[in-house]
Amino acid sequence: MMRVGFNVFEWQMLERLPEFSLPLQNGADFLFCHTSPEKLGFADEYEKAARLSGIAAEHGADLIANFEFQNAAEAFVGSEGRDWCRTPDGCHRLDPDPAFFAALNDKGNLYGVAYDEFEYAISARNLSLWWGSKLRFGAHAFPPLKTRDAYAQGETFSAALEAYVKDVKAMGAPRFAGEHVFPILFHAFARAGMVPNFKSMKESCTNLAFAVAAGAALEYGTELWTCVDLWYRQSFPGHSAEELYANLVFAYLSGVDLAYVESAPALVKDGKLTDRGEAFLRFVKEYKGKERDYRIADYRPEIGILRYDDTYWGQNLFWDRGLYGNGRLRPDARSKEWIEAVDAVTFGESGRASFNLNRIDRTLLQKHRSFCSMNALAVFDDRVRKAALSSLKLAFLCGVRISPETLSDVSLLVRENGLTVVTPKRFVPERFSRLTAGELTQIGDGKGTWIVTDDFTSPALRRRIAPFLGERGTVRLPFADRELVLRIAPDGDGFSCRVNQKS
């Protein structure tokens, strides 16, 4: 069963505005509430938070507190003198108040806490501070190293993130999630104890954002959430009612545990439901509480992309603050390999430079599509182990590092399971290193094959992997006991679905 809700602002709840009340007509499992420590006319922020908990409880709904204000606010000092935006390590990130969390859980219905666009705050060095002050152009979310080694920075960041997540959960967050604009840091977040939460629609094809987040959920055994986001760049709403409904259905079919629509102002206008509001209510009526006897843990990907996530998604110019927001760290050819691998397995539909349409080049001219061709894809990090990879038929090795343990497991799957692995020479087993030559080398190894190449964009490679790619114009999602085949609509924003039961 998938939990469903919608994104609402705290003042809309407190004033019981139509933007809050009308989308609740068919019920909702939870309210994903944009929350801040502002008093908003109450004695203090704690009284306000308790009121939010009570209003949600009146409607039989849980509450997820979403924090975004800190991304634009240089500072915010609460009633107890705590600065919610500046941390003891001298950085700029959410530093919440445990008493505020306790008040949000006044009725025992605080389901979780979300840090909106956290991965963006890290990789772009809190670039959104510019919205709060045109004199501010960002601040580090975590301490940077004086290094040009992306792996050293990444491991230092991961340790700091793990400690931060532990602290936030200890403050009273039952679950802690991000909300990702860009397809990065899902695995680092999951490894630290955060729930992967990908944006549907937005500027990436939904099924590709799913593939990255699903890999993190599979690898680390977490829930999987999605924000079905009606923003498109600076347009709101930037997606149609039909596209909204299709993306909610995709969330249900793909095994997502929790989905919500961003946001209430697109669902209600002038005190009446919009066509998007009607689409949301239609989905809630049809799917809320509907049993589904599989979830993301049952996903069985057949194509895997393994990479060290150095935060590169194709960013340049405006978005580029260096890897991990560290200006000393520049992406190189290794950083870009995973983007090229995604393009290779999507019949060239996703783009060789980025599959997020925010990249500042001709990518900006591409028409948005919610869905592109994809056959059972998942993206994993550099330390994934055999259990999560056992269903793969094709794998790509990318990035600055793959752990020795993972390379050992991949080698075993080649020999024993017949896995085909595409890799640059640096990851090929030592015993085969002298056999590599030319643009593309194929090396048999037990039941499987190593394909060694330094060019994931080459026509020769794409011809070689064609048998693994499925059917153009479809999204195939295999689970433990069934597979779903989604036939993509001509405009790319919807689909029809066929379910095949496995024998």
Side-chain angles (χ1 to χ4, degrees), residues 103-363:
L104 286 169
N105 200 30
D106 185 62
K107 301 301 181 185
N109 59 342
L110 181 64
Y111 191 79
V113 171
Y115 194 135
D116 208 326
E117 302 185 358
F118 191 20
E119 101 295 338
Y120 170 41
I122 294 164
S123 67
R125 206 184 307 158
N126 276 299
L127 184 58
S128 291
L129 284 172
W130 183 83
W131 293 109
S133 169
K134 299 300 185 287
L135 301 178
R136 291 294 302 274
F137 286 91
H140 290 287
F142 288 94
L145 296 180
K146 293 181 179 179
T147 183
R148 298 187 186 278
D149 184 343
Y151 176 65
Q153 178 67 78
E155 294 308 285
T156 299
F157 157 74
S158 292
L161 176 67
E162 185 175 347
Y164 174 67
V165 173
K166 184 177 180 180
D167 286 347
V168 172
K169 286 187 169 182
M171 292 176 184
R175 295 166 180 81
F176 190 26
E179 188 185 280
H180 297 239
V181 179
F182 302 116
I184 56 171
L185 293 181
F186 286 107
H187 301 79
F189 283 18
R191 189 164 63 244
M194 295 182 72
V195 178
N197 181 15
F198 68 99
K199 282 187 181 287
S200 301
M201 299 192 301
K202 206 61 173 76
E203 290 96 24
S204 294
C205 284
T206 294
N207 54 294
L208 296 183
F210 161 83
V212 185
L218 282 173
E219 185 174 345
Y220 291 102
T222 68
E223 296 178 4
L224 180 61
W225 295 4
T226 187
C227 167
V228 186
D229 194 342
L230 282 161
W231 280 93
Y232 178 65
R233 296 183 181 139
Q234 299 304 309
S235 297
F236 181 80
H239 303 274
S240 71
E242 294 77 13
E243 188 180 1
L244 169 63
Y245 179 81
N247 276 269
L248 284 165
V249 173
F250 177 86
Y252 180 85
L253 295 175
S254 63
V256 166
D257 294 292
L258 179 151
Y260 57 95
V261 173
E262 183 174 343
S263 60
L267 305 181
V268 176
K269 185 176 181 180
D270 298 328
K272 297 180 181 179
L273 286 168
T274 65
D275 58 347
R276 295 166 183 85
E278 295 286 0
F280 172 70
L281 286 183
R282 174 189 169 197
F283 177 82
V284 173
K285 182 177 181 180
E286 294 174 355
Y287 286 91
K288 181 179 181 292
K290 184 177 181 181
E291 291 297 329
R292 183 190 63 194
D293 54 359
Y294 66 94
R295 57 179 301 269
I296 194 60
D298 300 305
Y299 185 46
R300 298 292 183 266
E302 295 177 7
I303 300 176
I305 295 173
L306 285 61
R307 66 179 286 245
Y308 187 85
D309 186 351
D310 60 7
T311 74
Y312 185 74
W313 56 266
Q315 64 265 44
N316 61 348
L317 301 175
F318 177 76
W319 306 108
D320 183 9
R321 296 297 184 273
L323 304 177
Y324 302 100
N326 186 338
R328 296 181 177 88
L329 296 174
R330 309 308 309 161
D332 58 21
R334 297 171 301 172
S335 301
K336 301 171 184 178
E337 287 172 338
W338 83 286
I339 303 293
E340 295 170 351
V342 172
D343 191 60
V345 301
T346 58
F347 300 95
E349 294 176 16
S350 64
R352 294 182 179 185
S354 177
F355 58 85
N356 183 287
L357 298 185
N358 278 307
R359 180 179 168 84
I360 302 174
D361 61 7
R362 61 184 181 182
T363 303

